[in-house]
Amino acid sequence: DWSSDVCSSDLSGIGYAGVHQVADVNGDGTADLISGNRLSGAGSYSYAGQVRIFAGSVVEGVKSVVQAVDQDSAGTVISGESASEYLGTGVAAYDFDLDGVDDVFVSAPGYDSSKGRWGYFPGVVSSGPASSPVVWYTGASAGNSLGAAITR
């Protein structure tokens, strides 16, 4: 599976030096890697941030074989929508809706003049988390930085 060595290692060479979480977000019984990089650009937006989800693999009946990951690896990508949003500052996974599949939570504390926000993306059996959140929760006023920290 995605060992603690993989999750604690420096993934900066592939652009993911931020936070990492391991969970089964597609319900296949193997661990998936959720990696947030708050300093990533998105289009013309500097520091919009990005979260990528890499599915674990099954090779010859052995579950959770660690796979090589680089900037071209396939996976679900969630990108920030504005400059200095810092999406991916926090990532967490938990089976919030109790359907047996872990759901993904991501935060962006710089969103909208640092009101900040966090989103809930439900895990989906076989396909992984939804590409759009069920809901975004946004801080009440500038400077709140909602989502500066997020945990299970």
Side-chain angles (χ1 to χ4, degrees):
D1 70 51
W2 295 102
S3 69
S4 58
D5 292 339
V6 171
C7 293
S8 64
S9 67
D10 179 9
L11 299 177
S12 60
I14 62 168
Y16 285 85
V19 295
H20 312 291
Q21 178 74 41
V22 174
D24 181 13
V25 298
N26 60 6
D28 68 356
T30 62
D32 308 309
L33 176 66
I34 306 162
S35 183
N37 182 357
R38 66 188 188 95
L39 301 179
S40 178
S44 63
Y45 302 122
S46 298
Y47 308 117
Q50 189 175 74
V51 173
R52 289 189 75 177
I53 301 167
F54 303 99
S57 61
V58 177
V59 176
E60 297 178 10
V62 178
K63 290 184 178 182
S64 303
V65 175
V66 175
Q67 58 184 320
V69 176
D70 64 24
Q71 68 271 17
D72 298 320
S73 295
T76 301
V77 179
I78 304 166
S79 295
E81 301 170 349
S82 61
S84 300
E85 187 173 330
Y86 302 112
L87 180 78
T89 295
V91 297
Y94 177 73
D95 186 11
F96 182 73
D97 57 12
L98 302 177
D99 66 353
V101 179
D102 288 323
D103 307 304
V104 176
F105 298 84
V106 301
S107 69
Y111 176 76
D112 193 12
S113 299
S114 293
K115 285 182 182 177
R117 68 179 181 167
W118 65 267
Y120 158 58
F121 296 76
V124 179
V125 173
S126 78
S127 63
S131 58
S132 297
V134 167
V135 64
W136 280 110
Y137 291 96
T138 303
S141 59
N144 282 159
S145 298
L146 182 68
I150 187 171
T151 188
R152 176 177 171 197

